[in-house]
Amino acid sequence: MSDSKLKKASLAVLGAIVFASDKFSTVAEMVEDRASATKFPEAVKHFKALEVLREELAPVARAFPLDSPALKEAAQKEGAIVKTVHFVRHGQGVHNLAALTSVNKCDCKNPGNPPVCPYVQPEVKDARLTELGESQATALQERAAQCGATLVVVSPLQRALQTAHLAFLKADPRPPFQALEDAREQIGAHVCDCRRPIADAKAQFPYVCFDGLAEGEDPLWTTAREPKTGVAARAQNVVRWLRTRPEENIAVVCHSSFLLTLFNIALDCSPDPTLYEWFETGEMRSVAVVW
């Protein structure tokens, strides 16, 4: 199977599509092969976990590429609500760099003494962007300025806030920024996903609205990793919340595992299965969401 055909195949339809291919006999084999070719081979475990959830949870909306021929028909259905949403993964964080350069992998399920997982080291707490990550966020400025978003929804974690700040720096007028706790990365165990006190974030990003977020230390933090069911519930909540907003063109700046879950569980992306794929750092993916 060629790379172009693989790109058209969903990484996460996961059992709903039968591949007529000599190379892969099962979707799981295709997922593993595709993930091993990415810069983040561990992605395969995320896809496999989502395979189970797809059998239990129904999507709450559909997603279409903005130029999809099927979008017009879906938008014309009685009662349909359509919004343009620009989903952005943050630029490279210091935790991403640590994972890329470390000989150690995540050992959180069976931690050593001391743990060697690069995501639990104190220096990556509420991970900031690397120099490359700042460049990736800055590279989005032209697209961000032209996308027409009238609201920027952002995870309260530092790397997402930095990315949103840099990406929308040249938008004129600058849209309002709203921090949303539900848009965070998978919570727990990995200190890179433990947020700072909101007072610190407010001082760094005074124009961001943090209304509704608890002050003080991270109230959601736990030493146990949040189950995928929890991430999926938050992803569904975010998609439902977007439906209630008056804005029709919205940007959402957040994280890889959360975005993967949102696109594979909360959204039905079958009109274009490439939408199910993993987000690279600094990637913007613009879609029409139809409820």
Side-chain angles (χ1 to χ4, degrees), residues 2-286:
S2 68
D3 287 343
S4 62
K5 288 183 178 179
L6 275 176
K7 186 172 180 60
K8 292 297 182 183
S10 167
L11 285 179
V13 172
L14 298 172
I17 295 176
V18 176
F19 290 89
S21 167
D22 294 333
K23 184 173 181 181
F24 304 115
S25 59
T26 67
V27 174
E29 287 180 12
M30 186 278 294
V31 168
E32 191 158 1
D33 180 89
R34 182 65 169 155
S36 67
T38 70
K39 297 177 182 177
F40 185 56
E42 291 183 29
V44 67
K45 70 181 181 183
H46 293 278
F47 285 115
K48 287 182 175 179
L50 293 176
E51 179 178 5
V52 177
L53 286 184
R54 285 182 64 85
E55 298 176 358
E56 302 173 359
L57 301 173
V60 296
R62 301 183 75 193
F64 298 79
L66 297 180
D67 60 354
S68 171
L71 173 58
K72 184 177 181 180
E73 181 181 352
Q76 289 177 340
K77 290 186 177 179
E78 184 177 357
I81 296 174
V82 184
K83 298 189 180 188
T84 299
V85 186
H86 312 277
F87 291 97
V88 181
R89 182 187 174 189
H90 62 79
Q92 185 192 63
V94 293
H95 65 307
N96 300 130
L97 180 60
L100 286 172
T101 57
S102 175
V103 297
N104 299 312
K105 303 303 178 184
C106 178
D107 65 343
C108 290
K109 288 189 176 181
N110 298 287
N113 187 20
V116 298
C117 173
Y119 301 127
V120 304
Q121 306 310 312
E123 60 269 20
V124 303
K125 184 175 181 179
D126 196 0
R128 68 185 186 281
L129 294 182
T130 62
E131 185 175 344
L132 173 59
E134 292 177 351
S135 297
Q136 291 173 328
T138 301
L140 292 173
Q141 287 181 354
E142 184 175 353
R143 285 187 64 192
Q146 294 177 355
C147 76
T150 55
L151 175 69
V152 177
V153 180
V154 59
S155 157
L157 295 179
Q158 182 174 201
R159 57 193 182 272
L161 288 164
Q162 288 179 292
T163 299
H165 166 76
L166 290 170
F168 287 88
L169 191 63
K170 294 185 177 180
D172 185 20
R174 184 171 67 187
F177 283 55
Q178 175 66 58
L180 189 65
E181 197 85 90
D182 269 344
R184 290 175 57 171
E185 183 58 295
Q186 188 172 4
I187 301 167
H190 296 168
V191 299
C192 55
D193 302 322
C194 178
R195 70 162 169 80
R196 300 171 296 167
I198 289 301
D200 294 348
K202 286 180 177 179
Q204 188 176 2
F205 304 98
Y207 54 86
V208 176
C209 177
F210 291 94
D211 291 355
L213 276 71
E215 299 284 350
E217 295 298 324
D218 190 345
L220 301 180
W221 180 251
T222 172
T223 55
R225 197 71 169 148
E226 179 184 21
K228 285 291 186 183
T229 51
V231 184
R234 290 194 290 111
Q236 290 181 320
N237 287 343
V238 168
V239 174
R240 293 188 183 104
W241 181 84
L242 291 173
R243 182 183 185 278
T244 69
R245 294 293 309 185
E247 300 86 1
E248 296 182 353
N249 192 323
I250 302 172
V252 179
V253 184
C254 49
H255 309 269
S256 59
S257 183
F258 179 80
L259 284 167
L260 186 74
T261 306
L262 186 147
F263 272 78
N264 281 270
I265 301 298
L267 294 177
D268 171 8
C269 299
S270 58
D272 184 350
T274 62
L275 295 177
Y276 289 117
E277 295 187 4
W278 186 265
F279 274 69
E280 298 293 343
T281 51
E283 179 181 347
M284 175 187 284
R285 193 177 299 176
S286 299

